[in-house]
Amino acid sequence: MNGLTNYVSCGVLWLGLAVKAPDLVRHRHDPYLRAICAVLCLAGLCFFLGAPPTIGAVNRLSGVPNLAAPLTYAAITAYGAASQVLIVRWRGGAGVRRVARRWIVAYTGVILGIAVAFTLGDAPVERRTDLDTYYARTPFIAEMIVLYLVAHLTAATVTMVSALGWARQVTGWLRAGLLVLGVGTLCNAGFSAAKLVAVSARWSGRDWAALDTNVSPAAAGLGALLTSVGILVPLTGPRLAERHRARQAYARLAPLERELDGVLTRRALRLPRPRWSVPHALLMWRQTSVQNALGYLDGTWDPLLYAETHEAALRATADPARAEATAWAAVITEAALRDGERGDGERTRAWPASARSGSSGPVGAQGADAAAAVGATGVFSTTGTAATTEAVAAHGAKAPREAGLLPRLSGVPGAGPVDLVAVADALRESALVADLRRRLRGADAANGVNGVNGVNEVRPV
């Protein structure tokens, strides 16, 4: 009789209420939020008032034996009405206010009936756990018991049918929440059904009080947990999913930030890292750093290298999106390393064609020579500026600089043909990019460029 189940259930429900309370304060006139908070508040109140220690305290302080019973029954009835109003508000549509008002009026009448029946009845012996079966044959008290149980069973059944029926029409987090809510209200229906069976057994002279004292509290506790989860899932699920996606995108962008680390450091383009920040803030910080570096390097992309890498990646993967990301990874890698190699007064400086097995920089005479070297090495099949243009047209790739064609870079996964996260994945996984990086660093070392200032070292996160 310590009421642990009741208090734990109450705590779970009121914890959900605490989660939604800030939203209610900010949007106190939102009927949907008010319905959610009313359901969580009243459900927790039912368990609090129904705990044996609370029952004893209410009876003792009021001086009326079993006064806690009609208070608990009224809270249960109000909870049933609030559940119906929540479903009505949730679904929306025409006549929402009218339907919600009808439920409120009907269950207000039930609460008044409970109060009248208790006033007319006589329940002098305090019963903290088995009042329903103990007074099942007492005039007016029996009617009060049946009235609240039928009202609760009706509300739970209608809520269950509505939630599960609606779940078949929707998807995502809303569907998951409705399914959990439907199962929770099924448990709530089991609470009142078990009590009604126990009361009916008492009418026929049988003693099935265990249904009243053991089965129904367990069903109510499980129903409370599932109901609160079902209500909160559609509200908190999308936020948690967004945080998870932001955390994943932040981690996946790390290779691209590392590749651009030299540019960010030398040119002081990186903002201070935020401390104790949510995943979205950290992702924005990393995206901003990457975009700053890419903006600085804009105009130094090598279209010949882009087309050659795109062609090779497309031939190897048969995936246009992956090939485009790999091509971007290649030109970003070269531009970042070339930025480290050149002086402050230089904007571009060609890499040896043998180092890249591709183009040496801006398209022109040097580009033609580099393309010829490519044909000699056999790594790529294009030669010269004309060949570069043909390769671009043949494979549907957009040269990053030539003719002003620059695919849009984006830090949001799936937001365009060139995705920063996909580019970062290519930097980490592509053998083509790894081979290009090795060749460029080999050429750097052969030219006598200082390794610290001239090479963007790849460091672990």
Side-chain angles (χ1 to χ4, degrees):
M1 296 180 63
N2 57 12
L4 179 61
T5 301
N6 291 70
Y7 290 134
V8 169
S9 301
C10 174
V12 169
L13 289 159
W14 283 353
L15 178 62
L17 176 63
V19 170
K20 295 307 300 175
D23 291 337
L24 181 63
V25 172
R26 289 191 296 268
H27 309 284
R28 60 178 58 91
H29 299 298
D30 187 338
Y32 174 58
L33 275 177
R34 290 205 302 264
I36 291 175
C37 292
V39 168
L40 295 173
C41 178
L42 290 171
L45 182 63
C46 293
F47 285 102
F48 180 77
L49 291 175
T54 305
I55 292 173
V58 170
N59 294 338
R60 183 177 63 257
L61 293 175
S62 65
V64 179
N66 298 308
L67 177 63
L71 295 180
T72 304
Y73 299 163
I76 292 173
T77 303
Y79 162 72
S83 299
Q84 283 302 307
V85 172
L86 173 61
I87 292 294
V88 171
R89 295 288 187 187
W90 214 343
R91 297 201 67 167
V96 170
R97 292 185 178 181
R98 182 178 68 257
V99 175
R101 190 181 302 113
R102 287 177 179 176
W103 279 105
I104 293 173
V105 171
Y107 275 69
T108 299
V110 173
I111 292 174
L112 292 176
I114 290 172
V116 171
F118 181 77
T119 302
L120 297 176
D122 184 21
V125 180
E126 182 185 69
R127 309 299 299 187
R128 297 189 181 185
T129 60
D130 62 347
L131 184 141
D132 293 346
T133 51
Y134 186 86
Y135 287 107
R137 295 180 176 180
T138 303
F140 296 109
I141 301 298
E143 283 76 5
M144 175 189 71
I145 294 169
V146 172
L147 181 61
Y148 98 86
L149 287 176
V150 171
H152 180 266
L153 180 60
T154 301
T157 302
V158 174
T159 302
M160 176 188 66
V161 172
S162 300
L164 295 180
W166 188 19
R168 293 183 295 180
Q169 305 173 19
V170 295
T171 59
W173 289 105
L174 179 56
R175 177 185 176 86
L178 287 170
L179 289 174
V180 175
L181 179 61
V183 176
T185 51
L186 176 62
C187 294
N188 287 336
F191 161 81
S192 51
K195 281 184 171 289
L196 280 172
V197 171
V199 169
S200 300
R202 175 63 66 133
W203 291 342
S204 62
R206 297 181 179 86
D207 184 9
W208 291 0
L211 291 175
D212 182 22
T213 58
N214 297 327
V215 176
S216 61
L222 180 59
L225 175 62
L226 294 175
T227 298
S228 60
V229 171
I231 291 174
L232 295 177
V233 159
L235 303 173
T236 60
R239 296 180 185 177
L240 295 177
E242 288 176 6
R243 289 172 66 92
H244 178 67
R245 287 194 295 267
R247 192 178 292 109
Q248 281 189 322
Y250 172 79
R252 291 174 63 187
L253 278 173
L256 182 54
E257 186 191 9
R258 285 198 303 268
E259 197 68 39
L260 297 168
D261 183 68
V263 179
L264 292 168
T265 302
R266 286 187 299 271
R267 312 304 175 186
L269 298 173
R270 181 187 281 114
L271 297 175
R273 178 189 175 95
R275 295 184 178 182
W276 310 107
S277 296
V278 297
H280 289 87
L282 290 173
L283 175 60
M284 184 176 295
W285 168 78
R286 179 161 282 176
Q287 288 174 339
T288 302
S289 298
V290 169
Q291 294 285 9
N292 286 346
L294 294 178
Y296 177 82
L297 294 174
D298 190 21
T300 67
W301 314 126
D302 188 334
L304 180 57
L305 174 62
Y306 179 92
E308 292 168 341
T309 307
H310 185 277
E311 179 183 8
L314 188 61
R315 188 167 56 246
T317 65
D319 184 343
R322 188 173 176 184
E324 190 148 16
T326 303
W328 267 110
V331 297
I332 289 172
T333 296
E334 188 202 32
L337 289 169
R338 190 166 61 228
D339 178 77
E341 180 269 342
R342 68 174 179 257
D344 289 339
E346 299 176 89
R347 185 57 183 169
T348 61
R349 175 176 172 179
W351 287 87
S354 59
R356 306 202 292 91
S357 292
S359 70
S360 61
V363 176
Q366 291 178 334
D369 295 339
V374 170
T377 60
V379 177
F380 298 105
S381 60
T382 58
T383 57
T385 306
T388 301
T389 306
E390 291 173 2
V392 170
H395 296 283
K398 298 177 181 178
R401 184 182 58 184
E402 191 174 39
L405 298 176
L406 181 63
R408 181 167 62 93
L409 288 172
S410 172
V412 181
V418 179
D419 171 21
L420 288 184
V421 175
V423 173
D425 290 341
L427 285 168
R428 183 178 64 252
E429 301 169 356
S430 174
L432 288 172
V433 178
D435 181 68
L436 173 67
R437 188 185 295 112
R438 177 180 60 79
R439 291 173 181 274
L440 291 177
R441 287 177 176 169
D444 209 11
N447 290 338
V449 181
N450 182 276
V452 175
N453 296 323
V455 178
N456 181 26
E457 296 293 343
V458 178
R459 299 177 286 102
V461 178

